[in-house]
Amino acid sequence: MAARAALRRRYWATVPARLRLLRAATLVLAAAVAVLLLVAGLALNGTWDRVSGRDAPRTTSAADLDLALNDMDAQAANILLSNGDAGKGRLQTPYTKAVGFYGDARRAIGHDLRTLAVAAQGSPADEKTVESLTDGFAEYQELIGRALENDGHQGGKPAALADYRRATDLLRTQLLPAATTLVSSNNAAFNTEYTSTRSTLSAQLTALLALGVLLLAVLGLLQWYLARRFHRILNPGVLAAALSTLLAVILGTQLLSASATHLRVARHDAFDSVVALSRARAIAYDANADESRYLLDPERRASYEESFLAKSQQLYGLKDATLSTYNAELSTTWHAYQADHHDLRFTGEFRRELDNITFPGERAAAERTVESYAVYQRDDRKVRALLAAGKEREAAEFCMGWEPDTSNAHFGAWMSALDQVADINRAHFTSSVDAGRAGVRDVLPWAGALLLAAMLLTAMGLRPRLAEFG
């Protein structure tokens, strides 16, 4: 009992003891708020660095790999299709274009594999997938190289076609599924980072509000005690400290809330669309490759026709549609969607993007993409009709030509429209990341300075009162 009485006299029973205790409580709480904001700011800087420098790039690299693999195989088919018999009867412009695009795709795959190898470090599953892709790609290149070499010899088309079949089967059964796995794996890792950071921000915001309210309550108690004990309405130093604290808490709350919003916009509003559009682009290149394979390989035409329809359904899904009914149903459902954006008669990657419209200009760009896709689908039926009529060379020229109103020209217009939608979302992803970084850079120092000012003002405001007691 004596000890408790002694402690009470020392820390609360006398006026100076009470003032020192309230001052200590104020300084400790202000320091706690400052540390909380500093930790939150450092964590946010790390989050933005990981989002922009690791999570997003490795996901898009995996999607780019998927696309480049499809493009390389399509261009290999175009080279074989346009080369004639060892160059005799060659379609010169399609052949030259295909050779150039083939080289571009091969270099892009090499770059993407190196990027993904670095990104996979620390994940045994991803490391194994990248290693398998690298080995499989080496085998694929060997088969395609042999096919192109055989096609350079007169009468070598059958041998070239046999090698190409092995290569494209390897691509479809091993390489593309592995690339798709990497897209899903890296995108899931990004989403895990997003969920964890949002949860942390929510907890930090709750802690900030709790500490801020408690600090303001202590300052209010201190102001009340000074007014009651010293018969003065307000202590200027403590009042200024309370205002500084209030501003610091407001700034900190805005920082954490705005950061959560910027993160949501970057991850879900923008990057979800980037992933969907990257997937759509890869599927589009694979479908375009199926069209070339269809012309190149008579024995597998039925299989490639089914594959083309399946990829069309992945892009713009129409229940029970066949190639002969697909275009008419596409036109009907698209007009219904334009009349009512909630009309749900089609599915697929385009639907996913149209359901995630967020930014100015995005809907118009997405609708132009679907309209360009419809033109490409009509071109595909023309290719098949020409082939059915026995006009194989005309079908190949229309399929691979780059003149206006040919299939490749319309495919290029479709991809350009798709890129415009993706660019809108990439721009907003980048601007959200930049805004998040700017918030930490611009707001955090002010909040810290205000809290430091609150601590100094409290000490200065109490100094004359404590001096009265010697």
Side-chain angles (χ1 to χ4, degrees):
M1 294 292 293
R4 286 182 60 186
L7 288 172
R8 187 174 182 275
R9 283 194 303 271
R10 181 175 180 182
Y11 292 108
W12 186 251
T14 66
V15 171
R18 291 170 187 170
L19 291 178
R20 291 189 184 99
L21 182 60
L22 290 171
R23 181 182 64 184
T26 300
L27 297 179
V28 168
L29 287 170
V33 173
V35 169
L36 174 62
L37 288 176
L38 177 62
V39 170
L42 293 174
L44 280 169
N45 275 333
T47 294
W48 294 123
D49 287 343
R50 288 190 297 275
V51 164
S52 62
R54 185 195 67 184
D55 296 334
R58 70 183 183 182
T59 304
T60 54
S61 289
D64 290 344
L65 174 65
D66 193 359
L67 186 152
L69 286 167
N70 282 312
D71 191 24
M72 185 173 174
D73 199 62
Q75 301 310 327
N78 286 340
I79 291 170
L80 295 174
L81 185 60
S82 61
N83 192 39
D85 185 8
K88 185 178 180 181
R90 173 183 292 169
L91 301 174
Q92 191 58 52
T93 298
Y95 178 84
T96 302
K97 290 271 192 182
V99 169
F101 291 143
Y102 175 87
D104 292 343
R106 183 171 59 183
R107 286 186 290 274
I109 292 168
H111 175 268
D112 291 333
L113 284 172
R114 289 190 295 273
T115 300
L116 290 167
V118 173
Q121 291 176 0
S123 171
D126 285 354
E127 287 178 358
K128 185 176 181 180
T129 301
V130 173
E131 183 179 348
S132 174
L133 269 167
T134 302
D135 293 341
F137 182 57
E139 182 181 353
Y140 174 83
Q141 288 186 93
E142 182 180 346
L143 290 168
I144 290 295
R146 192 185 306 158
L148 297 178
E149 182 180 356
N150 286 329
D151 196 49
H153 302 141
Q154 262 194 332
K157 189 70 74 179
L161 186 54
D163 288 326
Y164 176 75
R165 284 174 180 164
R166 291 177 59 197
T168 198
D169 288 346
L170 173 66
L171 179 90
R172 292 152 72 89
T173 59
Q174 294 184 36
L175 300 184
L176 290 180
T180 301
T181 298
L182 280 179
V183 174
S184 299
S185 172
N186 288 317
N187 195 41
F190 188 179
N191 206 47
T192 299
E193 169 86 12
Y194 164 78
T195 302
S196 174
T197 302
R198 289 271 296 185
S199 177
T200 300
L201 284 171
S202 178
Q204 289 171 338
L205 180 58
T206 301
L208 173 63
L209 291 173
L211 288 172
V213 168
L214 187 56
L215 176 54
L216 288 169
V218 170
L219 286 167
L221 177 61
L222 178 57
Q223 188 71 265
W224 172 82
Y225 183 74
L226 288 170
R228 182 172 177 271
R229 179 64 182 78
F230 295 95
H231 306 291
R232 296 181 183 181
I233 297 176
L234 293 173
N235 181 291
V238 175
L239 177 61
L243 291 175
S244 296
T245 298
L246 180 61
L247 287 174
V249 171
I250 290 172
L251 286 176
T253 301
Q254 289 178 339
L255 170 63
L256 297 178
S257 299
S259 295
T261 300
H262 292 317
L263 190 62
R264 176 186 56 77
V265 171
R267 167 63 241 197
H268 279 309
D269 294 348
F271 199 75
D272 276 358
S273 289
V274 170
V275 173
L277 293 165
S278 296
R279 190 180 292 118
R281 188 176 176 88
I283 294 168
Y285 271 80
D286 199 9
N288 199 41
D290 278 333
E291 199 175 65
S292 296
R293 297 174 190 128
Y294 176 84
L295 293 173
L296 176 66
D297 193 345
E299 290 183 20
R300 292 191 174 186
R301 276 179 184 159
S303 172
Y304 289 138
E305 185 173 281
E306 289 177 7
S307 180
F308 180 89
L309 177 60
K311 293 178 181 71
S312 299
Q313 293 282 24
Q314 285 179 267
L315 292 168
Y316 191 105
L318 295 167
K319 188 177 180 181
D320 299 328
T322 64
L323 272 184
S324 60
T325 64
Y326 187 90
N327 282 351
E329 291 185 38
L330 189 159
S331 178
T332 299
T333 56
W334 183 241
H335 283 115
Y337 168 81
Q338 289 180 310
D340 176 11
H341 291 159
H342 299 291
D343 189 285
L344 300 176
R345 278 181 280 178
F346 67 93
T347 59
E349 298 298 337
F350 289 142
R351 181 85 231 183
R352 187 172 290 111
E353 163 56 19
L354 288 164
D355 287 342
N356 193 40
I357 298 297
T358 310
F359 307 115
E362 186 178 4
R363 185 177 298 280
E367 290 179 355
R368 285 194 297 271
T369 300
V370 177
E371 288 159 4
S372 300
Y373 168 74
V375 173
Y376 174 77
Q377 283 287 343
R378 291 195 292 271
D379 287 347
D380 173 77
R381 306 309 182 272
K382 181 175 179 179
V383 169
R384 296 175 199 278
L386 287 169
L387 188 64
K391 301 176 180 179
E392 291 190 23
R393 187 175 179 87
E394 288 182 39
E397 287 176 339
F398 181 73
C399 176
M400 295 185 294
W402 288 93
E403 297 78 12
D405 291 327
T406 58
S407 181
N408 261 352
H410 289 153
F411 181 79
W414 173 26
M415 291 300 98
S416 294
L418 193 65
D419 285 344
Q420 288 177 10
V421 188
D423 287 345
I424 290 172
N425 284 278
R426 287 193 191 98
H428 282 277
F429 173 82
T430 300
S431 66
S432 293
V433 172
D434 290 344
R437 283 190 171 129
V440 176
R441 183 181 64 245
D442 297 340
V443 174
L444 194 59
W446 280 103
L450 285 167
L451 288 167
L452 179 60
M455 296 165 75
L456 293 173
L457 287 166
T458 300
M460 291 172 62
L462 291 179
R463 186 177 179 183
R465 305 287 76 80
L466 289 170
E468 294 178 13
F469 296 91

